[in-house]
Amino acid sequence: MENYNLNYLKELEAESIFVIREVAAQFERPALLFSGGKDSIILAHLSRKAFHPAKIPFPLIHIDTGHNFPDTLTYRDELIKELGVRLIVGYVQDSIDKGRAKEETGYNASRNMLQTVTLLDTLEEHKIDAAMGGARRDEEKARAKERFFSHRDEFGQWDPKNQRPELWNIFNGKKNHGEHFRVFPISNWTEMDVWNYIHMENIPLPVLYFTHQRLCFRRDDTILAHSEFIKQKESENSEMMQVRFRTIGDMSCTGAVLSEANSVEDIIKEISISRVTERGTRADDKRSDSAMEDRKKEGYF
């Protein structure tokens, strides 16, 4: 942290706050998509800064797969209480019960893919015209293609070949009835920027990000948490491991890393020498070479 450019972090912060304020100014019913992960936590922190001393003028939306880490939900509820903002929860189980989504079966079953239907239904139900998210361009090649303001058609779909220019930070939020935007205020941040900003601002995080003992098992190149939501093969034996998580999502596809990092400073040192990308621990991204882009075209985050 001593060698990190604090002025650069302040510039990133100012850019993100500018984008958040643009969303509040241009749209009638914006919302912040909140997963409980560090990127959405930073968005909530930036939103609080953007409108202080007033409260955040839009709700937070969480799509609950029903297979979340309990620690994530605990953190979410405590943060919502602290911020004093409205929380909207869309439940994947409701989508399954209504026949809008079909539960996957088998060893690789996950509810992560099912979030798309629940998200689109939730946005439509609450008439959200701009949904802000914590995606960053350095995370994955499909996300690298996306602009700050990402137009979605009336079906919630994204066309990577038909994006609007954003010259001189001029954002075009015009849309037709039924369409909406996804907006990514921290697009230009890297994972290292995120952690150094967390350190600079002393932002509390879920305990999952720090080293702890957890019952886990290995599947191919991924370490998964032992869970009632994951069907293990006979050859997959669970054992106690010293791990932490670099991303937080559905338990069925969120991989852990072996780690002894128990502070933000330790995490910064760890990722500075890691050869594995942040989303390299996510089993859902390994389903195909274009997994993320295919999901985004269908209306995923």
Side-chain angles (χ1 to χ4, degrees), residues 49-273:
K49 277 197 164 189
F51 302 104
H52 182 79
K55 289 186 178 181
I56 297 173
F58 40 74
L60 273 60
I61 294 179
H62 179 222
I63 302 303
D64 188 343
T65 66
H67 295 174
N68 297 290
F69 290 93
D71 314 75
T72 304
L73 299 181
T74 298
Y75 181 94
R76 178 200 70 184
D77 294 341
E78 291 176 351
L79 180 63
I80 291 298
K81 184 177 180 180
E82 178 189 342
L83 294 175
V85 296
R86 180 184 172 207
L87 174 67
I88 297 172
V89 181
Y91 296 96
V92 170
Q93 186 61 54
D94 289 346
S95 299
I96 294 171
D97 293 342
K98 294 174 183 176
R100 295 277 296 145
K102 184 178 180 181
E103 186 91 77
E104 293 184 357
T105 59
Y107 292 110
N108 296 307
S110 171
R111 286 190 172 183
N112 198 55
M113 299 281 286
L114 308 187
Q115 292 183 84
T116 299
V117 171
T118 309
L119 173 59
L120 292 175
D121 287 350
T122 302
L123 295 179
E124 182 177 3
E125 178 185 352
H126 295 276
K127 302 295 187 290
I128 302 300
D129 55 2
M132 288 179 282
R136 308 187 321 268
R137 294 193 182 107
D138 76 315
E139 289 182 279
E140 200 273 341
K141 57 188 178 183
R143 288 182 169 176
K145 298 179 181 180
E146 204 148 23
R147 309 282 168 85
F148 279 106
F149 275 40
S150 178
H151 175 262
R152 302 297 172 106
D153 64 21
E154 60 183 320
F155 302 106
Q157 297 178 333
W158 171 61
D159 181 1
K161 297 181 180 179
N162 186 28
Q163 299 190 80
R164 299 173 180 179
E166 293 180 344
L167 304 175
W168 307 290
N169 279 351
I170 297 175
F171 303 115
N172 182 358
K174 292 184 178 180
K175 59 180 178 58
N176 296 317
H177 181 71
E179 299 174 343
H180 72 276
F181 277 80
R182 306 286 173 85
V183 182
F184 306 106
I186 62 171
S187 288
N188 287 337
W189 297 45
T190 66
E191 184 184 12
M192 187 64 79
D193 295 333
V194 166
W195 281 107
N196 277 284
Y197 185 77
I198 289 169
H199 184 273
M200 181 178 76
E201 295 288 292
N202 194 28
I203 301 174
L205 294 174
V207 296
L208 293 167
Y209 280 113
F210 304 98
T211 186
H212 58 282
Q213 287 280 335
R214 183 176 291 269
L215 191 62
C216 299
F217 68 95
R218 295 180 183 272
R219 175 170 292 173
D220 299 324
D221 297 327
T222 305
I223 298 174
L224 295 171
H226 179 90
S227 167
E228 62 181 305
F229 307 128
I230 306 176
K231 183 179 180 181
Q232 291 181 226
K233 302 174 183 178
E234 290 185 5
S235 59
E236 295 173 337
N237 299 314
S238 296
E239 59 181 298
M240 293 300 296
M241 300 183 187
Q242 191 81 16
V243 299
R244 72 175 192 86
F245 294 87
R246 289 177 70 180
T247 65
I248 295 178
D250 189 278
M251 290 187 72
S252 62
C253 60
T254 303
V257 293
L258 298 175
S259 173
E260 295 184 359
N262 59 10
S263 69
V264 173
E265 293 95 331
D266 290 343
I267 291 172
I268 290 171
K269 292 176 183 177
E270 183 178 271
I271 63 175
S272 67
I273 60 174

